[in-house]
Amino acid sequence: FIIFQIIAYSYLHFPLYRLILSRLSHAAGALLYLYRFDFDSEVLPHPYRILRMGRGLRGVAHGDELSYIFSNLFSQRLPTESREYKTINRMISFWTQFARSGNPNDEDIPGMVTLTWEPLKKSEPKLKCLNISDDLKFIEWPELPKAKLWASAYDKHTELLY
């Protein structure tokens, strides 16, 4: 599965890192929140992953959170006490709160009573994100070291791109 990691860094993590740096440098007045969707479920995977990889593949892929925000072909009625239902409520609440106020924090969201989702700051060398899984945790973005390595290689070898 190393090819999936290479694809993830070349198409997602590295470009996201460059976007974050750009936003922090050129849109300093706009708050920027980073999350990492880390909720693994066989009950409600994103349809794209099923169509490309079939069922049974474990892990979380880019776009999986869309199944927790929007209905799709594989959506089904879920028991209200299920992990998936809880995650749907959280995701919709985060997005609704952010659309309403520009800030995703709301202590009425399960798991957010004692947690504050801080916006990214240019002055901090570590990028912090809200890790959304069964539990919510504010962590250092785990993909940052490799994203920096990709950025370093890109910056050193731009002549190969043109």
Side-chain angles (χ1 to χ4, degrees):
F1 288 89
I2 188 101
I3 189 72
F4 293 129
Q5 290 180 341
I6 292 170
I7 292 168
Y9 277 91
S10 65
Y11 286 101
L12 176 65
H13 303 306
F14 166 60
L16 176 60
Y17 176 62
R18 301 283 290 206
L19 176 68
I20 289 168
L21 294 179
S22 177
R23 289 281 310 222
L24 291 174
S25 294
H26 303 294
L31 298 179
L32 181 60
Y33 295 90
L34 178 62
Y35 73 87
R36 182 175 185 264
F37 191 76
D38 196 25
F39 184 80
D40 189 12
S41 171
E42 264 296 306
V43 175
L44 193 61
H46 192 272
Y48 182 76
R49 182 164 51 139
I50 294 172
L51 295 172
R52 295 282 304 217
M53 306 296 192
R55 289 199 176 266
L57 182 66
R58 301 302 303 183
V60 181
H62 173 63
D64 276 0
E65 74 269 26
L66 297 176
S67 293
Y68 294 83
I69 302 169
F70 305 105
S71 183
N72 63 58
L73 294 171
F74 296 96
S75 295
Q76 56 187 310
R77 189 171 297 273
L78 298 167
T80 56
E81 65 278 352
S82 70
R83 302 169 52 233
E84 292 76 15
Y85 190 87
K86 181 179 179 181
T87 301
I88 288 169
N89 279 336
R90 278 183 175 159
M91 293 301 292
I92 290 172
S93 297
F94 284 135
W95 283 94
T96 303
Q97 177 62 19
F98 184 76
R100 181 184 307 126
S101 69
N103 183 333
N105 288 289
D106 183 349
E107 61 183 40
D108 290 336
I109 299 172
M112 291 297 290
V113 173
T114 60
L115 195 62
T116 301
W117 186 353
E118 296 288 338
L120 298 176
K121 295 178 177 73
K122 185 177 181 178
S123 60
E124 292 184 18
K126 301 281 184 182
L127 298 179
K128 299 262 186 159
C129 65
L130 181 66
N131 195 71
I132 301 170
S133 190
D134 285 301
D135 298 318
L136 300 175
K137 295 178 185 163
F138 199 57
I139 64 170
E140 291 178 6
W141 186 40
E143 289 75 22
L144 180 60
K146 288 183 182 172
K148 283 184 172 181
L149 180 64
W150 276 74
S152 168
Y154 177 84
D155 291 340
K156 288 179 186 172
H157 301 287
T158 55
E159 75 281 354
L160 298 175
L161 300 173
Y162 304 106

